[in-house]
Amino acid sequence: DRAEIRVLWRACEIAGYPYGHALRFALCTGQRIGEVGGIRRSDIDTDGEFWIQTENKTRKRIDLYLAPLAREILEACPKIGADGWYFTNDGTVPLRKDIWNKALARHIRPLIDGAAAELGLPTISKPWTPHDLRRTVRTGLTGWCLVSPDTAERVLNHAIGGLRAVYDHADYKPHVTGALQQWDTELERIIRGERAAVVSIMSKKPNSAKSR
């Protein structure tokens, strides 16, 4: 939920580079933690606005928009080694997806209670993994940002099957970009401790007595 996101974000800030940065970047983009760990400086376009992702589970290129929060995280990553990894311990290998169980136990989870106390919020008591951040982004896109489910699926780079895969060859880059811009705004609100800015459909209906 929003309070847990806020607590996790703060714990990651305290943890710092590389694990705290990588988890926050995953929360900004909704991408798989293995793909996040493998991002290189050469994967970013010349304007610094898109992650040209060519190595992923779907095996197809996507140009993923990097909203301000995501760009700030990448800009804060130190340059280590000659291979250009954004997230790495020693510059020779990226943060692989199989290291996260130990990394969370050592670098992130011990900071959760302190971050919650600092913010005056309940701690995160339920078990979670980096993959749960994809569910968080997916839920936030449709529930708080009112992004269509179809576009939200494409933000996460889920393969679209069935008849749509056969007939729909549209470029969803503008749709995904708009969705990530909305998520960036909402994530900023969460970090500040603000409520969701979703307007209830019921509140837009005319008063029944007046309509008569």
Side-chain angles (χ1 to χ4, degrees):
D1 60 26
R2 297 174 76 88
E4 290 172 326
I5 293 172
R6 195 176 171 204
V7 168
L8 177 59
W9 188 275
R10 181 59 186 141
C12 288
E13 287 180 328
I14 298 170
Y17 185 84
Y19 303 106
H21 286 54
L23 283 176
R24 286 189 295 138
F25 186 77
L27 190 54
C28 289
T29 61
Q31 301 307 291
R32 299 172 182 88
I33 197 64
E35 292 155 8
V36 166
I39 185 173
R40 297 175 185 259
R41 296 179 187 276
S42 58
D43 294 333
I44 308 302
D45 74 343
T46 54
D47 294 327
E49 290 191 347
F50 287 89
W51 171 9
I52 312 304
Q53 192 183 120
T54 56
E55 298 181 12
N56 53 51
K57 189 175 181 179
T58 58
R59 298 181 180 179
K60 66 177 182 179
R61 167 176 167 163
I62 62 168
D63 294 1
L64 190 79
Y65 176 71
L66 299 175
L69 280 174
R71 292 201 298 269
E72 287 175 11
I73 293 167
L74 293 186
E75 290 167 3
C77 292
K79 293 183 179 180
I80 304 175
D83 290 322
W85 308 110
Y86 271 106
F87 306 115
T88 176
N89 276 307
D90 59 8
T92 62
V93 293
L95 297 184
R96 304 184 312 272
K97 64 180 180 180
D98 61 346
I99 55 90
W100 280 98
N101 283 339
K102 291 182 178 179
L104 291 178
R106 181 178 297 179
H107 300 285
I108 304 297
R109 289 198 175 100
L111 303 175
I112 294 291
D113 288 350
E118 177 184 325
L119 297 171
L121 295 171
T123 191
I124 301 174
S125 56
K126 298 177 182 177
W128 61 277
T129 70
H131 192 76
D132 288 312
L133 302 185
R134 280 171 63 78
R135 299 186 181 95
T136 299
V137 175
R138 176 65 176 78
T139 303
L141 285 170
T142 51
W144 297 325
C145 301
L146 304 184
V147 171
S148 73
D150 192 77
T151 297
E153 287 293 288
R154 294 177 187 276
V155 170
L156 269 61
N157 196 21
H158 279 157
I160 306 298
L163 288 175
R164 285 187 299 169
V166 175
Y167 287 98
D168 188 352
H169 295 276
D171 179 7
Y172 279 81
K173 182 177 176 179
H175 305 71
V176 170
T177 295
L180 284 169
Q181 288 171 336
Q182 290 177 263
W183 174 239
D184 184 75
T185 299
E186 194 61 36
L187 196 51
E188 286 270 20
R189 291 177 58 85
I190 293 171
I191 295 167
R192 293 195 298 266
E194 299 176 11
R195 294 182 178 180
V198 174
V199 178
S200 171
I201 295 176
M202 295 298 294
S203 66
K204 292 184 178 181
K205 290 186 177 181
N207 182 283
S208 58
K210 291 183 178 179
S211 63
R212 288 197 295 269

